[in-house]
Amino acid sequence: MKVVAFNGSPRKEGNTASLIKHVLAELDKEGIETEIVQIGGKSVHGCTACSKCFENRDRRCVIDNDIVNECIEKMLEADGIILASPTYFADLTPELKALIDRAGFVAKANSEMFSYKVGAAVGAGRRAGPIHIIRLPLPFLLDFPKIRQGQCCWNYSYGCSS
């Protein structure tokens, strides 16, 4: 088994990374292979609604000058997907939102190719902001037939890294 986590924070070693590492440590204990992909702080273009993914049906986004197609490949190879972001004005980072939009459309255009993968969202922030962070990716995580992680409480944390 393999789980890939996408860090939407531009701070590669910030609070969001700490939370991802905390989650992945538990998976590592179970012998599950894990990987963190840094997307925050990189140039990731938003979806242009060109519908080329529906025309081409080649499991790729036609925009090919950023890391989104590489991320899509990693999602395809993985059994589980974690989407993580800090809270920016009660929202996710634009890089993570762009990944969700583009990967989601490509998946829809290609027979819901992310079906039956485990999905989870992780949010870092303060006050109630992270609630939106873990809610916003849910359509992406639940739109395809998917196995969603169980939870007894919201999966976000507060903290401060130096």
Side-chain angles (χ1 to χ4, degrees), residues 14-23 84-87 121-134 153-161:
N15 292 325
T16 305
S18 295
L19 291 172
I20 293 169
K21 290 174 184 174
H22 182 73
V23 172
S85 179
T87 305
V122 175
R126 60 186 209 139
R127 296 190 199 99
I131 293 171
H132 186 65
I133 299 302
I134 60 173
C153 193
W154 295 103
N155 42 338
Y156 65 86
S157 181
Y158 304 101
C160 181
S161 62

Side-chain angles (χ1 to χ4, degrees), residues 138-154:
L138 289 181
F140 175 79
L141 295 172
L142 298 175
D143 199 29
F144 314 105
K146 201 171 265 58
I147 304 163
R148 186 169 170 250
Q149 88 289 356
Q151 64 188 46
C152 62
C153 193
W154 295 103

Side-chain angles (χ1 to χ4, degrees), residues 1-3 20-36 82:
M1 278 193 89
K2 181 175 181 177
V3 173
I20 293 169
K21 290 174 184 174
H22 182 73
V23 172
L24 297 186
E26 293 302 312
L27 298 175
D28 289 337
K29 288 179 190 175
E30 298 298 320
I32 297 170
E33 182 184 350
T34 61
E35 178 182 5
I36 298 173
I82 296 173

Side-chain angles (χ1 to χ4, degrees), residues 33-73:
E33 182 184 350
T34 61
E35 178 182 5
I36 298 173
V37 178
Q38 181 67 35
I39 63 166
K42 296 191 176 187
S43 178
V44 181
H45 304 283
C47 181
T48 62
C50 68
S51 296
K52 291 292 184 188
C53 53
F54 287 91
E55 290 176 30
N56 297 338
R57 298 185 192 276
D58 61 358
R59 296 181 165 205
R60 299 183 59 78
C61 178
V62 71
I63 301 170
D64 203 20
N65 60 351
D66 62 14
I67 65 166
V68 169
N69 284 322
E70 178 185 330
C71 293
I72 289 170
E73 285 298 318

Side-chain angles (χ1 to χ4, degrees), residues 78-140:
D79 301 294
I81 300 167
I82 296 173
L83 302 173
S85 179
T87 305
Y88 284 8
F89 292 93
D91 212 340
L92 346 140
T93 60
E95 297 92 343
L96 188 60
K97 179 65 169 119
L99 175 64
I100 289 169
D101 290 347
R102 288 175 51 202
F105 273 115
V106 169
K108 281 293 190 187
N110 290 276
S111 303
E112 299 189 357
M113 64 189 193
F114 298 140
S115 295
Y116 302 107
K117 294 185 182 285
V118 177
V122 175
R126 60 186 209 139
R127 296 190 199 99
I131 293 171
H132 186 65
I133 299 302
I134 60 173
R135 184 193 61 76
L136 195 58
L138 289 181
F140 175 79

